[in-house]
């Protein structure tokens, strides 16, 4: 596969990475994602151009482009590259303009979303992660991403309705406020726990007062929790 053109993402040398964090390593990650079925060239281009290693502690940076999730502290993880790409690809199928992300986490998924949508709102419940993500996103110029420290289950009501909502933690049931904040015709992409304890990615589409759910791949996410940790 031909690697995406990353010249549109000029970076200082210290941001580009070296060795296991280099552009060559990102290109290999993108080639793997394509083999795994990610077909959206814009998603692949963005992930080839953005320094995922900056969203991890320095001790783990050399593992940033492996096909695995990695810890970011506070019991949270940075999702594996494939799930970031897959959820972004599913969201882009709707061509959304206004998007809400629940669970900013490290900020990497937020950055990828910010590169492919016009307006992005992202909510995080853990203050240390919220602040760190904000610093990284400002450094990388993701100026269309608005961040808030809050309980994600409540969404961002004053900015609603949203064309799409992306939930990056697993819920046992989808929070009603999030469904209410979907625009008519909008979609919610989320991991959802099933009765046997497995998790499955779902796509929920709003049609007036009806919500149609499509079950997709099995996945593994940290649980969606309530409350704010300051």
């Amino acid at each position: 596969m031909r690697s995406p053109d990353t010249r549109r993402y000029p970076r200082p040398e210290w941001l580009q990475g070296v060795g296991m964090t280099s552009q060559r390593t990102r290109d290999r990650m993108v080639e793997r994602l394509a083999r795994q079925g990610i077909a959206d060239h814009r998603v692949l281009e963005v992930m080839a151009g953005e320094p995922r290693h900056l969203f991890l502690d320095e001790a783990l940076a050399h593992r940033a482009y492996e096909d695995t999730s990695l810890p970011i502290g506070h019991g949270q993880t940075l999702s594996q590259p494939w799930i970031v790409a897959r959820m972004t690809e599913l969201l882009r199928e709707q061509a959304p303009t206004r998007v809400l992300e629940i669970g900013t986490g490290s900020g990497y998924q937020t950055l990828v979303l910010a590169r492919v949508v016009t307006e992005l709102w992202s909510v995080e419940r853990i203050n240390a992660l919220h602040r760190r993500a904000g610093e990284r996103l400002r450094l990388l110029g993701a100026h269309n991403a608005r961040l808030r420290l809050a309980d994600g289950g409540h969404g961002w009501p004053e900015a609603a309705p949203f064309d799409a909502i992306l939930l990056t933690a697993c819920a046992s049931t989808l929070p009603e406020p999030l469904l209410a904040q979907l625009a008519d015709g909008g979609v919610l992409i989320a991991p959802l726990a099933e009765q046997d304890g497995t998790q499955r990615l779902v796509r929920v589409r709003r049609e007036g007062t009806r919500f149609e759910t499509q079950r997709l791949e099995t996945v593994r996410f940290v649980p969606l929790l309530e409350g704010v940790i300051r």
Side-chain angles (χ1 to χ4, degrees):
M1 172 189 168
R2 181 181 178 183
S3 298
D5 183 358
T6 59
R7 289 173 296 177
R8 64 188 297 168
Y9 297 99
R11 297 283 190 231
E13 185 176 346
W14 65 273
L15 275 181
Q16 286 285 8
V18 296
M20 295 303 292
T21 64
S22 67
Q23 183 62 57
R24 180 175 296 179
T25 305
R26 282 191 291 281
D27 289 342
R28 286 199 297 267
M29 175 191 71
V30 164
E31 290 168 1
R32 183 180 69 242
L33 290 173
R35 291 194 301 271
Q36 292 172 323
I38 302 300
D40 188 318
H41 288 286
R42 178 64 177 141
V43 173
L44 294 173
E45 180 183 51
V46 167
M47 292 183 67
E50 298 297 350
R52 179 179 163 92
H53 59 280
L54 293 187
F55 293 84
L56 292 162
D57 289 341
E58 187 174 351
L60 286 172
H62 68 287
R63 300 189 59 195
Y65 302 101
E66 295 179 5
D67 190 23
T68 187
S69 60
L70 294 166
I72 56 173
H74 307 276
Q76 305 300 301
T77 59
L78 170 58
S79 294
Q80 68 187 97
W82 180 84
I83 197 65
V84 172
R86 177 60 173 150
M87 293 180 79
T88 307
E89 181 177 63
L90 286 169
L91 181 140
R92 266 180 51 84
E93 289 176 2
Q94 315 307 314
T97 298
R98 298 168 56 83
V99 173
L100 173 65
E101 178 192 33
I102 303 300
T104 312
S106 71
Y108 178 71
Q109 173 76 83
T110 314
L111 177 66
V112 173
L113 290 174
R115 299 303 193 214
V116 300
V117 304
T118 304
E119 297 180 275
L120 176 65
W121 290 259
S122 183
V123 180
E124 173 57 52
R125 62 181 288 270
I126 301 172
N127 191 31
L129 296 180
H130 166 72
R131 292 174 58 189
R132 199 176 308 152
E135 293 168 359
R136 290 161 170 159
L137 293 167
R138 283 191 293 273
L139 173 68
L140 294 167
H143 302 305
N144 61 329
R146 303 167 179 86
L147 307 185
R148 169 177 284 184
L149 177 67
D151 186 327
H154 300 305
W156 201 316
E158 62 269 35
F162 300 101
D163 304 319
I165 298 176
L166 191 71
L167 184 58
T168 64
C170 184
S172 54
T173 58
L174 295 175
E176 289 294 334
L178 298 185
L179 295 173
Q181 289 171 37
L182 269 181
D184 192 8
V187 298
L188 183 149
I189 309 293
L192 192 62
E194 301 193 321
Q195 290 185 346
D196 63 0
T198 61
Q199 299 179 9
R200 189 171 291 275
L201 204 60
V202 299
R203 174 167 47 197
V204 180
R205 182 182 302 277
R206 180 172 189 170
E207 298 291 348
T209 59
R210 295 186 301 108
F211 295 90
E212 300 176 352
T213 301
Q214 180 183 7
R215 297 165 71 250
L216 304 168
E217 298 92 348
T218 56
V219 291
R220 192 66 187 170
F221 280 81
V222 297
L224 179 67
L225 301 175
E226 297 180 351
V228 174
I229 299 177
R230 298 185 182 278

